[in-house]
mmCIF file of all heavy atoms in Angstrom:
data_model
loop_
_atom_site.group_PDB
_atom_site.id
_atom_site.type_symbol
_atom_site.label_atom_id
_atom_site.label_comp_id
_atom_site.label_asym_id
_atom_site.label_seq_id
_atom_site.Cartn_x
_atom_site.Cartn_y
_atom_site.Cartn_z
ATOM 1 N N SER A 19 97.318 34.857 -57.677
ATOM 2 C CA SER A 19 97.078 35.864 -58.722
ATOM 3 C C SER A 19 96.911 37.272 -58.164
ATOM 4 O O SER A 19 96.993 38.244 -58.907
ATOM 5 C CB SER A 19 95.819 35.478 -59.519
ATOM 6 O OG SER A 19 94.704 35.412 -58.650
ATOM 7 N N THR A 20 96.651 37.389 -56.865
ATOM 8 C CA THR A 20 96.399 38.715 -56.283
ATOM 9 C C THR A 20 97.060 38.795 -54.903
ATOM 10 O O THR A 20 97.502 37.790 -54.349
ATOM 11 C CB THR A 20 94.883 38.964 -56.082
ATOM 12 O OG1 THR A 20 94.356 37.910 -55.270
ATOM 13 C CG2 THR A 20 94.131 39.006 -57.397
ATOM 14 N N GLY A 21 97.096 39.998 -54.362
ATOM 15 C CA GLY A 21 97.436 40.223 -52.961
ATOM 16 C C GLY A 21 98.740 39.590 -52.496
ATOM 17 O O GLY A 21 99.779 39.689 -53.157
ATOM 18 N N ILE A 22 98.671 38.917 -51.339
ATOM 19 C CA ILE A 22 99.857 38.318 -50.719
ATOM 20 C C ILE A 22 100.461 37.248 -51.637
ATOM 21 O O ILE A 22 101.684 37.145 -51.783
ATOM 22 C CB ILE A 22 99.471 37.687 -49.357
ATOM 23 C CG1 ILE A 22 99.002 38.770 -48.379
ATOM 24 C CG2 ILE A 22 100.631 36.894 -48.769
ATOM 25 C CD1 ILE A 22 98.327 38.225 -47.101
ATOM 26 N N ARG A 42 92.030 30.900 -58.965
ATOM 27 C CA ARG A 42 90.687 30.744 -59.525
ATOM 28 C C ARG A 42 90.527 31.546 -60.796
ATOM 29 O O ARG A 42 89.791 31.200 -61.684
ATOM 30 C CB ARG A 42 89.671 31.264 -58.504
ATOM 31 C CG ARG A 42 88.907 30.220 -57.796
ATOM 32 C CD ARG A 42 87.908 30.847 -56.890
ATOM 33 N NE ARG A 42 88.240 32.230 -56.557
ATOM 34 C CZ ARG A 42 87.530 32.992 -55.764
ATOM 35 N NH1 ARG A 42 86.443 32.510 -55.222
ATOM 36 N NH2 ARG A 42 87.884 34.232 -55.493
ATOM 37 N N VAL A 66 92.587 26.753 -60.604
ATOM 38 C CA VAL A 66 92.305 25.763 -59.571
ATOM 39 C C VAL A 66 91.264 26.309 -58.592
ATOM 40 O O VAL A 66 91.242 27.505 -58.301
ATOM 41 C CB VAL A 66 93.614 25.397 -58.819
ATOM 42 C CG1 VAL A 66 94.167 26.565 -58.031
ATOM 43 C CG2 VAL A 66 93.418 24.231 -57.855
ATOM 44 N N ASP A 67 90.403 25.410 -58.136
ATOM 45 C CA ASP A 67 89.516 25.730 -57.010
ATOM 46 C C ASP A 67 89.993 24.854 -55.860
ATOM 47 O O ASP A 67 89.840 23.621 -55.906
ATOM 48 C CB ASP A 67 88.066 25.416 -57.396
ATOM 49 C CG ASP A 67 87.096 25.691 -56.245
ATOM 50 O OD1 ASP A 67 87.553 25.858 -55.088
ATOM 51 O OD2 ASP A 67 85.881 25.724 -56.508
ATOM 52 N N VAL A 68 90.589 25.462 -54.820
ATOM 53 C CA VAL A 68 91.207 24.658 -53.757
ATOM 54 C C VAL A 68 90.182 23.885 -52.928
ATOM 55 O O VAL A 68 90.561 23.010 -52.159
ATOM 56 C CB VAL A 68 92.105 25.504 -52.815
ATOM 57 C CG1 VAL A 68 93.284 26.081 -53.561
ATOM 58 C CG2 VAL A 68 91.305 26.570 -52.084
ATOM 59 N N ASN A 94 97.881 29.518 -49.666
ATOM 60 C CA ASN A 94 97.547 30.895 -49.339
ATOM 61 C C ASN A 94 96.152 31.321 -49.792
ATOM 62 O O ASN A 94 95.642 32.346 -49.338
ATOM 63 C CB ASN A 94 98.627 31.786 -50.000
ATOM 64 C CG ASN A 94 98.281 33.235 -50.021
ATOM 65 O OD1 ASN A 94 98.336 33.887 -49.007
ATOM 66 N ND2 ASN A 94 97.897 33.741 -51.187
ATOM 67 N N ALA A 95 95.503 30.528 -50.649
ATOM 68 C CA ALA A 95 94.165 30.908 -51.122
ATOM 69 C C ALA A 95 93.232 31.045 -49.927
ATOM 70 O O ALA A 95 93.305 30.270 -48.975
ATOM 71 C CB ALA A 95 93.628 29.851 -52.084
ATOM 72 N N GLY A 96 92.378 32.040 -49.965
ATOM 73 C CA GLY A 96 91.456 32.224 -48.846
ATOM 74 C C GLY A 96 90.304 33.124 -49.227
ATOM 75 O O GLY A 96 90.351 33.856 -50.222
ATOM 76 N N VAL A 118 87.053 26.466 -48.419
ATOM 77 C CA VAL A 118 88.217 27.107 -49.043
ATOM 78 C C VAL A 118 89.343 27.263 -48.015
ATOM 79 O O VAL A 118 90.488 26.855 -48.250
ATOM 80 C CB VAL A 118 87.836 28.488 -49.627
ATOM 81 C CG1 VAL A 118 89.076 29.200 -50.181
ATOM 82 C CG2 VAL A 118 86.771 28.349 -50.697
ATOM 83 N N THR A 145 98.961 30.032 -45.025
ATOM 84 C CA THR A 145 98.528 31.355 -44.593
ATOM 85 C C THR A 145 97.355 31.201 -43.635
ATOM 86 O O THR A 145 96.250 30.843 -44.043
ATOM 87 C CB THR A 145 98.115 32.247 -45.773
ATOM 88 O OG1 THR A 145 99.210 32.325 -46.686
ATOM 89 C CG2 THR A 145 97.780 33.652 -45.290
ATOM 90 N N ALA A 146 97.629 31.453 -42.352
ATOM 91 C CA ALA A 146 96.538 31.546 -41.376
ATOM 92 C C ALA A 146 96.155 33.024 -41.314
ATOM 93 O O ALA A 146 95.919 33.667 -42.348
ATOM 94 C CB ALA A 146 96.972 30.990 -40.025
ATOM 95 N N SER A 147 96.140 33.593 -40.125
ATOM 96 C CA SER A 147 95.739 34.992 -39.944
ATOM 97 C C SER A 147 95.842 35.281 -38.449
ATOM 98 O O SER A 147 95.869 34.349 -37.633
ATOM 99 C CB SER A 147 94.281 35.160 -40.391
ATOM 100 O OG SER A 147 93.733 36.376 -39.941
ATOM 101 N N TYR A 160 85.396 32.344 -40.500
ATOM 102 C CA TYR A 160 86.806 32.617 -40.843
ATOM 103 C C TYR A 160 87.703 32.345 -39.639
ATOM 104 O O TYR A 160 88.765 31.721 -39.764
ATOM 105 C CB TYR A 160 86.906 34.076 -41.296
ATOM 106 C CG TYR A 160 88.256 34.512 -41.822
ATOM 107 C CD1 TYR A 160 88.665 34.187 -43.118
ATOM 108 C CD2 TYR A 160 89.118 35.296 -41.051
ATOM 109 C CE1 TYR A 160 89.883 34.620 -43.620
ATOM 110 C CE2 TYR A 160 90.332 35.728 -41.548
ATOM 111 C CZ TYR A 160 90.717 35.396 -42.833
ATOM 112 O OH TYR A 160 91.930 35.834 -43.320
ATOM 113 N N LYS A 164 90.614 29.603 -39.661
ATOM 114 C CA LYS A 164 92.031 29.981 -39.506
ATOM 115 C C LYS A 164 92.635 29.365 -38.239
ATOM 116 O O LYS A 164 93.816 29.019 -38.232
ATOM 117 C CB LYS A 164 92.179 31.500 -39.522
ATOM 118 C CG LYS A 164 91.848 32.135 -40.878
ATOM 119 C CD LYS A 164 92.788 31.651 -41.985
ATOM 120 C CE LYS A 164 92.595 32.435 -43.284
ATOM 121 N NZ LYS A 164 93.511 31.992 -44.355
ATOM 122 N N PRO A 190 99.136 36.777 -40.710
ATOM 123 C CA PRO A 190 99.178 38.207 -41.005
ATOM 124 C C PRO A 190 98.074 38.980 -40.280
ATOM 125 O O PRO A 190 96.984 38.465 -40.038
ATOM 126 C CB PRO A 190 98.957 38.285 -42.519
ATOM 127 C CG PRO A 190 99.157 36.903 -43.053
ATOM 128 C CD PRO A 190 98.796 35.984 -41.915
ATOM 129 N N GLY A 191 98.399 40.241 -39.965
ATOM 130 C CA GLY A 191 97.370 41.200 -39.562
ATOM 131 C C GLY A 191 96.797 41.815 -40.826
ATOM 132 O O GLY A 191 96.620 41.121 -41.829
ATOM 133 N N LEU A 192 96.523 43.095 -40.786
ATOM 134 C CA LEU A 192 95.891 43.722 -41.950
ATOM 135 C C LEU A 192 96.882 43.925 -43.088
ATOM 136 O O LEU A 192 97.960 44.486 -42.882
ATOM 137 C CB LEU A 192 95.334 45.083 -41.546
ATOM 138 C CG LEU A 192 94.109 45.038 -40.642
ATOM 139 C CD1 LEU A 192 93.834 46.422 -40.070
ATOM 140 C CD2 LEU A 192 92.900 44.536 -41.436
ATOM 141 N N VAL A 193 96.500 43.468 -44.270
ATOM 142 C CA VAL A 193 97.352 43.599 -45.448
ATOM 143 C C VAL A 193 96.525 44.239 -46.560
ATOM 144 O O VAL A 193 95.371 43.828 -46.792
ATOM 145 C CB VAL A 193 97.863 42.216 -45.919
ATOM 146 C CG1 VAL A 193 98.924 42.389 -47.000
ATOM 147 C CG2 VAL A 193 98.410 41.399 -44.750
ATOM 148 N N THR A 195 95.125 44.311 -49.598
ATOM 149 C CA THR A 195 94.860 43.415 -50.733
ATOM 150 C C THR A 195 93.372 43.542 -51.085
ATOM 151 O O THR A 195 92.592 44.098 -50.303
ATOM 152 C CB THR A 195 95.128 41.940 -50.362
ATOM 153 O OG1 THR A 195 94.103 41.503 -49.449
ATOM 154 C CG2 THR A 195 96.486 41.732 -49.727
ATOM 155 N N PRO A 196 92.976 42.958 -52.232
ATOM 156 C CA PRO A 196 91.556 43.022 -52.599
ATOM 157 C C PRO A 196 90.637 42.477 -51.508
ATOM 158 O O PRO A 196 89.485 42.894 -51.404
ATOM 159 C CB PRO A 196 91.487 42.146 -53.858
ATOM 160 C CG PRO A 196 92.858 42.237 -54.443
ATOM 161 C CD PRO A 196 93.809 42.348 -53.283
ATOM 162 N N MET A 197 91.156 41.552 -50.650
ATOM 163 C CA MET A 197 90.302 40.958 -49.615
ATOM 164 C C MET A 197 89.736 42.004 -48.652
ATOM 165 O O MET A 197 88.623 41.853 -48.159
ATOM 166 C CB MET A 197 91.095 39.901 -48.836
ATOM 167 C CG MET A 197 90.276 39.183 -47.807
ATOM 168 S SD MET A 197 91.137 37.785 -47.082
ATOM 169 C CE MET A 197 90.768 36.492 -48.239
ATOM 170 N N ILE A 198 90.500 43.058 -48.385
ATOM 171 C CA ILE A 198 90.015 44.037 -47.409
ATOM 172 C C ILE A 198 89.649 45.378 -48.047
ATOM 173 O O ILE A 198 89.451 46.365 -47.340
ATOM 174 C CB ILE A 198 91.012 44.237 -46.233
ATOM 175 C CG1 ILE A 198 92.347 44.829 -46.696
ATOM 176 C CG2 ILE A 198 91.251 42.918 -45.492
ATOM 177 C CD1 ILE A 198 93.134 45.467 -45.553
HETATM 178 N N1 NAD B 301 94.485 40.887 -46.382
HETATM 179 C C1 NAD B 301 94.509 40.657 -45.086
HETATM 180 O O1 NAD B 301 94.363 41.585 -44.282
HETATM 181 C C2 NAD B 301 94.758 39.268 -44.562
HETATM 182 C C3 NAD B 301 95.048 39.118 -43.219
HETATM 183 C C4 NAD B 301 95.304 37.839 -42.712
HETATM 184 C C5 NAD B 301 95.263 36.739 -43.539
HETATM 185 N N2 NAD B 301 94.960 36.918 -44.854
HETATM 186 C C6 NAD B 301 94.946 35.708 -45.682
HETATM 187 O O2 NAD B 301 95.872 35.866 -46.724
HETATM 188 C C7 NAD B 301 95.533 35.002 -47.804
HETATM 189 C C8 NAD B 301 95.617 35.785 -49.078
HETATM 190 O O3 NAD B 301 94.625 36.796 -49.078
HETATM 191 P P1 NAD B 301 94.891 38.264 -49.616
HETATM 192 O O4 NAD B 301 94.795 39.173 -48.476
HETATM 193 O O5 NAD B 301 96.113 38.283 -50.473
HETATM 194 O O6 NAD B 301 93.570 38.523 -50.466
HETATM 195 P P2 NAD B 301 93.220 38.249 -51.988
HETATM 196 O O7 NAD B 301 91.759 38.284 -52.080
HETATM 197 O O8 NAD B 301 94.039 39.133 -52.844
HETATM 198 O O9 NAD B 301 93.770 36.762 -52.198
HETATM 199 C C9 NAD B 301 93.019 35.604 -51.954
HETATM 200 C C10 NAD B 301 93.287 34.691 -53.110
HETATM 201 O O10 NAD B 301 92.660 33.432 -52.894
HETATM 202 C C11 NAD B 301 92.012 33.061 -54.094
HETATM 203 N N3 NAD B 301 90.926 32.137 -53.840
HETATM 204 C C12 NAD B 301 89.787 32.348 -53.123
HETATM 205 N N4 NAD B 301 89.021 31.252 -53.160
HETATM 206 C C13 NAD B 301 89.696 30.325 -53.895
HETATM 207 C C14 NAD B 301 89.429 29.000 -54.302
HETATM 208 N N5 NAD B 301 88.295 28.382 -53.965
HETATM 209 N N6 NAD B 301 90.365 28.350 -55.048
HETATM 210 C C15 NAD B 301 91.504 28.959 -55.415
HETATM 211 N N7 NAD B 301 91.803 30.223 -55.080
HETATM 212 C C16 NAD B 301 90.915 30.887 -54.338
HETATM 213 C C17 NAD B 301 91.522 34.379 -54.683
HETATM 214 O O11 NAD B 301 91.243 34.257 -56.055
HETATM 215 C C18 NAD B 301 92.723 35.270 -54.405
HETATM 216 O O12 NAD B 301 93.696 35.163 -55.402
HETATM 217 C C19 NAD B 301 94.141 34.468 -47.463
HETATM 218 O O13 NAD B 301 94.265 33.155 -46.957
HETATM 219 C C20 NAD B 301 93.651 35.398 -46.379
HETATM 220 O O14 NAD B 301 92.719 34.782 -45.532
HETATM 221 C C21 NAD B 301 94.718 38.137 -45.386
#
Side-chain angles (χ1 to χ4, degrees):
S19 59
T20 56
I22 296 168
R42 254 183 339 181
V66 66
D67 178 346
V68 296
N94 167 74
V118 176
T145 304
S147 165
Y160 186 79
K164 293 298 189 179
L192 289 168
V193 189
T195 71
M197 183 171 274
I198 64 160

